Amino acid sequence: RSSDLHTECARTREQSNPWWMVDLREAHRITAVAVTNIAIVDSENIIGAEILVGDSEVDGGTSNPKCATISSLGYGETRWFYCLGMKGRYVTIHLPGVRKTLYLCEVQIFGLPVGSEGDEPQSDSHGLQVPSEGVPNVALHGRSSQTGTPSKMEDSERAIDGSLVGPDHGGPCARVSSTYTTSWRLDLGTSLRVFAVAVTVPNLEHHVEWTKLCVENLEWDSPFRNPRCTSITLPPTHSTLAYQSGGVEGRYVTLYSNNTLRDALLCEVQVFALHLPPNVPNVALHGVASQSSVADTLGEPANAIDGSLESNYSKGSCSQTKDEHKPWWMLDLKFTYRVYTISVTNRRDCCRDTNFAAEIGRA
């Protein structure tokens, strides 16, 4: 959505405690709310606004529980604010104070109806510290590419132009020519902590389904590629769906379609990410590793922290337990650290479908 005040933004009068509210028509469990600021000199007006979620519509829902406070939102910027499964029918943006004007160019609300399939309590991504200041959409500053472009007017950059409008309403979308591996890719320019990726597609009659989303750090031709991928299912209507990635480290975001007969349309990709803390070393190299069992002489636990990204087990740089109930691998860092990210290299020669969880603690 454009951040041009004269075309596609909402604005209140100058008043005390202005608010904007949306009625979702039924109670939802809200994962996050993404807010797009206006691109004019008054863009700082929104600082201090509160995002509220609840079941009361009295006074515009201004008495409902608070999801987040907007402490940072730049000129024309979009930020993702976590609500972590708060339940409510009404979502309100409330700007406390006197002589205030509230500008909003887009509000995206990501959630599911309470009691629907997939609705379940949410947490802060298994202990990941959730950024209270919100997470910006960095896709607008990236470089995109795709496997084929029918025309210049439908090139890959149409999917990172900030518009959520589909072709039914004259909106620009990227059209990817059908090939053996139909794909669209975004280079963020540097490795970032990616918290969520939101994908906007048009009506089904205009596109084939995108089936896989990957976040990774290495180029296409790297022998050490180990992308973090998830299968995705997009509805047959013009819509935006968000996929959480829990702060995984990555530079490249790639979408794949397995349909080789029709072109694939992509209206917008938003990548909500933060820069990595500067000069954070890999402290695993100095720790002591252990695991529940050792499969053979090639599978020692210390192999997983030897500094090598070699992913062929036969080369002796991977760890492996025996086939057992609830196997585990543990690293003693020897000292207490503030852990920002954990990077795991999986095997390439086999066994890549292994599912595991990472936990951090003192015991």
Side-chain angles (χ1 to χ4, degrees):
R1 176 62 67 92
S2 167
S3 53
D4 182 351
L5 170 64
H6 301 292
T7 56
E8 298 179 345
C9 296
R11 175 187 181 184
T12 68
R13 296 176 180 174
E14 184 179 82
Q15 61 187 100
S16 296
N17 305 311
W19 54 264
W20 174 96
M21 183 183 75
V22 60
D23 179 359
L24 300 176
R25 301 187 180 181
E26 60 179 316
H28 282 65
R29 193 182 301 275
I30 308 300
T31 296
V33 175
V35 180
T36 301
N37 198 5
I38 196 166
I40 62 171
V41 293
D42 291 335
S43 60
E44 72 277 5
N45 282 5
I46 200 168
I47 302 303
E50 300 171 335
I51 302 173
L52 311 174
V53 177
D55 290 322
S56 172
E57 62 177 324
V58 176
D59 295 327
T62 53
S63 62
N64 284 326
K66 183 167 65 175
C67 155
T69 298
I70 300 175
S71 60
S72 177
L73 192 62
Y75 180 94
E77 184 180 49
T78 299
R79 279 188 178 245
W80 165 288
F81 296 90
Y82 278 100
C83 294
L84 298 176
M86 291 180 66
K87 291 192 293 185
R89 172 173 170 172
Y90 303 97
V91 176
T92 298
I93 311 294
H94 172 229
L95 184 58
V98 297
R99 300 189 64 183
K100 297 284 188 178
T101 302
L102 178 62
Y103 299 91
L104 293 169
C105 291
E106 188 71 16
V107 178
Q108 302 171 73
I109 301 169
F110 300 98
L112 291 170
V114 172
S116 65
E117 183 179 356
D119 168 43
E120 57 185 26
Q122 299 168 22
S123 65
D124 57 349
S125 301
H126 302 290
L128 178 71
Q129 185 176 1
V130 173
S132 60
E133 73 277 14
V135 184
N137 173 24
V138 298
L140 301 174
H141 310 295
R143 291 182 303 154
S144 60
S145 59
Q146 58 192 40
T147 49
T149 304
S151 71
K152 181 63 178 176
M153 296 301 295
E154 298 173 309
D155 64 15
S156 63
E157 293 183 358
R158 304 295 173 178
I160 51 169
D161 61 2
S163 173
L164 302 177
V165 180
D168 287 344
H169 297 89
C173 296
R175 179 183 294 271
V176 186
S177 301
S178 58
T179 64
Y180 179 70
T181 54
T182 302
S183 62
W184 179 95
R185 188 173 230 215
L186 177 66
D187 179 358
L188 299 174
T190 187
S191 186
L192 302 172
R193 294 175 69 198
V194 179
F195 288 85
V197 178
V199 181
T200 302
V201 294
N203 292 326
L204 183 60
E205 63 178 303
H206 294 294
H207 74 100
V208 298
E209 187 170 331
W210 297 94
T211 53
K212 187 167 67 172
L213 168 67
C214 297
V215 178
E216 61 186 312
N217 244 335
L218 299 174
E219 296 277 5
W220 293 101
D221 55 356
S222 170
F224 302 116
R225 283 187 68 200
N226 187 32
R228 280 71 166 175
C229 298
T230 184
S231 297
I232 63 175
T233 301
L234 297 163
T237 56
H238 179 207
S239 55
T240 300
L241 264 69
Y243 298 88
Q244 297 190 78
S245 49
V248 66
E249 183 179 339
R251 173 174 172 172
Y252 303 98
V253 176
T254 310
L255 283 161
Y256 296 92
S257 172
N258 58 12
N259 190 310
T260 61
L261 301 178
R262 295 176 58 193
D263 293 350
L265 263 68
L266 192 58
C267 294
E268 192 69 16
V269 176
Q270 301 170 83
V271 180
F272 298 99
L274 294 174
H275 285 280
L276 294 166
N279 303 319
V280 177
N282 176 15
V283 295
L285 299 174
H286 309 295
V288 177
S290 59
Q291 60 192 39
S292 54
S293 64
V294 180
D296 52 45
T297 56
L298 294 177
E300 293 292 334
N303 292 345
I305 54 168
D306 62 359
S308 171
L309 297 180
E310 174 59 59
S311 54
N312 189 318
Y313 184 74
S314 65
K315 299 297 180 63
S317 192
C318 299
S319 69
Q320 181 172 318
T321 68
K322 295 178 180 178
D323 188 4
E324 61 184 327
H325 182 60
K326 295 184 177 180
W328 55 263
W329 178 93
M330 184 177 75
L331 177 64
D332 179 1
L333 297 175
K334 300 183 181 179
F335 302 95
T336 300
Y337 289 88
R338 186 182 299 277
V339 178
Y340 291 96
T341 59
I342 299 174
S343 180
V344 179
T345 300
N346 203 356
R347 289 181 62 173
R348 294 184 67 224
D349 51 334
C350 83
C351 319
R352 296 185 63 184
D353 294 332
T354 301
N355 294 318
F356 55 84
E359 299 177 353
I360 301 173
R362 296 177 182 268

